[in-house]
């Protein structure tokens, strides 16, 4: 195009390039998660693994156990006369079995952790027995979704689509059965902005040679299928998705979700069931393509953090590595604080701060 017919003057072009280098709003930029809050998270957590060691089952004492059962029976007889429906599920450990209604999806942070239940041992037939997760939703049904509204550069309909794709990412990263059995989470990775170079470098390194810093478990749930077998077809889930306007008018979405995976050893005939509990907070930015270099239907990662119970302490092989009773009985206690993995009343930021650099803590229940 000739000068005088809409071409950009040299001085304006040079100013545009300078603005791009400085990060001016008028020039699309390459997003960087670690230039934002991931850098803080990595610095805070670089000297500690994510997992929290699960504790061995409490041994029962026969005398006190018989007394407790007798007392419970007396209480049950009294309650049956008043409200038979309330008794259903008591003898199966209050695990949300027959007659115990599922909880409504989480719409806000709870005020307190779930009540303590009897420490009934999970089985192949009842893998969530004795766990508060028995009343949680199955898969994505356990994730609370907000009502869409126009936010930042997005219309209400665009926000609704972004929220659905956010849930798709959670399903592809933490619930997809092939991924849980060790496959690479290609569907989930496809939703991450390919121009976010530091994240792409992390993903490449995490699956090629996982380390404490480049650990795929930060974003993805995977078990080594030669060692671990999933029990049943259900993963219990509880969490919520929230959103607000982020930087440069982006839609910033925060996901805070806890997943409970029942597993057993892969060896034929194995029947001991244990549970791995993973809580992840992932913050993502659905950016305005006029301001950020991004592909359609992808998001940029802002930050991510993970807290894991019985997923492997000081283990960085890229897989969740649960321990069973024999390993738990011989393992040393964690040097970090005690953590209730079902307690969602504490924010992830507070939980990471309380860890204070500890290598592994001790889960109060599993």
């Amino acid at each position: 195009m000739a000068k005088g017919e809409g071409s950009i003057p040299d001085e304006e072009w040079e100013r545009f390039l300078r603005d791009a280098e400085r990060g001016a709003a008028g020039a699309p930029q390459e997003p960087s998660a670690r230039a934002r809050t991931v850098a803080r998270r990595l610095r805070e957590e670089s000297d500690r693994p994510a997992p929290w060691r699960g504790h061995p089952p409490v041994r029962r004492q026969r005398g006190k156990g018989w007394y407790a059962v007798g007392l419970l029976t007396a209480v049950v007889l009294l309650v049956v006369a008043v409200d038979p429906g309330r008794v259903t599920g008591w003898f199966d450990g209050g695990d949300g079995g027959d007659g115990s209604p599922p909880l409504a999806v989480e719409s806000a942070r709870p005020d307190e952790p779930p009540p303590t239940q009897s420490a009934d041992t999970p089985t192949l037939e009842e893998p969530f027995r004795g766990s508060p997760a028995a009343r949680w939703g199955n898969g994505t049904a356990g994730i609370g979704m907000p009502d869409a509204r126009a936010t930042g550069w997005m219309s209400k309909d665009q926000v609704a689509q972004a929220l659905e794709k956010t849930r798709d990412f959670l399903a592809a990263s933490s619930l997809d059965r092939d991924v849980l059995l060790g496959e690479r989470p290609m569907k989930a990775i496809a939703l991450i902005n390919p121009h976010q170079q530091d994240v792409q470098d992390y993903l490449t390194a995490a699956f090629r040679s996982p380390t404490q810093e480049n650990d795929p478990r930060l974003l993805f749930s995977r078990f080594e299928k030669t060692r671990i077998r999933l029990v049943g077809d259900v993963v219990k889930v509880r969490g919520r998705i929230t959103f607000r306007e982020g930087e440069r008018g982006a839609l910033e979405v925060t996901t805070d979700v806890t997943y409970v995976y029942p597993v057993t050893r892969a060896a034929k005939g194995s029947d001991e069931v244990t549970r791995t509990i993973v809580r992840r907070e992932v913050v993502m930015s659905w950016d305005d393509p006029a301001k950020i270099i991004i592909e359609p239907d992808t998001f940029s990662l802002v930050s991510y953090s993970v807290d894991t119970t019985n997923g492997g302490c000081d283990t960085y092989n890229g897989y969740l590595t649960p321990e069973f009773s024999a390993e738990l009985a011989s393992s040393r206690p964690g040097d970090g604080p005690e953590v209730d993995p079902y307690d969602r009343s504490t924010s992830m930021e507070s939980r990471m701060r309380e860890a204070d650099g500890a290598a592994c803590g001790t889960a109060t229940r599993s």
Side-chain angles (χ1 to χ4, degrees):
M1 182 178 294
K3 285 184 178 290
E5 295 181 6
S7 64
I8 302 175
D10 291 342
E11 60 272 15
E12 290 189 19
W13 177 248
E14 291 174 2
R15 185 171 65 251
F16 175 83
L17 294 178
R18 289 195 302 269
D19 289 344
E21 291 175 358
R22 289 197 303 264
Q29 303 174 35
E30 290 187 3
S32 172
R34 291 194 178 106
R36 304 178 192 178
T37 54
V38 167
R40 177 178 60 83
R41 184 197 59 77
L42 289 175
R43 284 196 298 272
E44 290 177 351
E45 298 182 62
S46 61
D47 58 349
R48 66 174 290 274
W52 293 87
R53 191 187 307 280
H55 68 293
V58 178
R59 296 183 181 276
R60 296 182 181 274
Q61 298 182 11
R62 289 186 180 274
K64 292 183 178 179
W66 279 109
Y67 174 78
V69 170
L71 178 60
L72 176 61
T73 302
V75 174
V76 167
L77 292 175
L78 175 62
V79 176
V80 167
V82 180
D83 185 2
R86 291 183 59 187
V87 184
T88 306
W90 280 24
F91 289 109
D92 58 8
D95 63 353
D98 296 340
S100 194
L103 296 175
V105 293
E106 188 176 282
S107 58
R109 189 177 307 284
D111 296 327
E112 58 186 6
T116 302
Q117 298 170 280
S118 59
D120 285 348
T121 302
T123 66
L124 294 174
E125 293 74 25
E126 296 180 86
F128 299 102
R129 191 179 186 197
S131 166
R135 296 184 62 196
W136 292 6
N138 297 348
T140 56
I143 302 174
M145 295 286 287
D147 294 330
R149 65 179 185 277
T151 303
W153 74 282
M154 284 188 166
S155 67
K156 179 180 178 180
D157 288 343
Q158 288 173 313
V159 169
Q161 292 173 9
L163 294 175
E164 290 179 5
K165 287 194 173 294
T166 297
R167 186 172 54 188
D168 290 344
F169 173 79
L170 299 181
S173 61
S174 303
L175 295 171
D176 183 279
R177 193 166 185 84
D178 290 336
V179 173
L180 294 178
L181 294 175
E183 295 296 325
R184 292 199 178 191
M186 302 309 296
K187 292 180 181 178
I189 292 174
L191 289 168
I192 300 174
N193 183 3
H195 300 289
Q196 197 171 11
Q197 193 57 51
D198 56 347
V199 173
Q200 295 300 319
D201 292 343
Y202 150 71
L203 293 171
T204 300
F207 289 104
R208 182 181 59 213
S209 53
T211 62
Q212 183 174 359
E213 180 174 339
N214 295 315
D215 188 344
R217 296 175 300 178
L218 292 171
L219 285 173
F220 311 105
S221 293
R222 300 162 69 235
F223 296 91
E224 196 170 8
K225 65 180 179 181
T226 58
R227 181 179 177 272
I228 296 298
R229 176 166 56 90
L230 300 173
V231 176
D233 299 323
V234 172
V235 175
K236 289 293 185 177
V237 175
R238 189 155 184 81
R240 65 190 183 281
I241 294 175
T242 58
F243 68 91
R244 65 177 185 177
E245 183 173 348
E247 295 181 9
R248 303 179 185 87
L251 175 72
E252 184 176 288
V253 179
T254 298
T255 70
D256 181 352
V257 182
T258 302
Y259 309 88
V260 183
Y261 306 98
V263 298
T264 188
R265 291 184 177 90
K268 186 177 181 180
S270 297
D271 59 0
E272 181 184 353
V273 176
T274 190
R275 291 184 285 255
T276 294
I277 306 169
V278 179
R279 181 181 176 186
R280 286 195 186 89
E281 182 182 85
V282 180
V283 183
M284 57 191 69
S285 181
W286 295 89
D287 295 313
D288 183 349
K291 300 176 180 178
I292 293 294
I293 300 173
I294 193 167
E295 295 299 315
D297 297 325
T298 68
F299 60 80
S300 303
L301 278 169
V302 176
S303 67
Y304 42 97
S305 55
V306 64
D307 196 49
T308 306
T309 293
N310 199 19
C313 275
D314 299 315
T315 303
Y316 304 104
N317 60 4
Y319 299 100
L320 295 167
T321 310
E323 294 179 327
F324 294 85
S325 56
E327 296 96 336
L328 290 170
S330 61
S331 61
R332 62 178 179 82
D335 57 353
E338 290 189 345
V339 173
D340 179 356
Y342 294 104
D343 182 5
R344 294 186 47 79
S345 65
T346 302
S347 69
M348 284 291 284
E349 182 179 1
S350 297
R351 184 167 289 184
M352 296 299 165
R353 185 169 56 249
E354 291 168 1
D356 194 26
C360 282
T362 300
T364 58
R365 51 180 168 175
S366 63

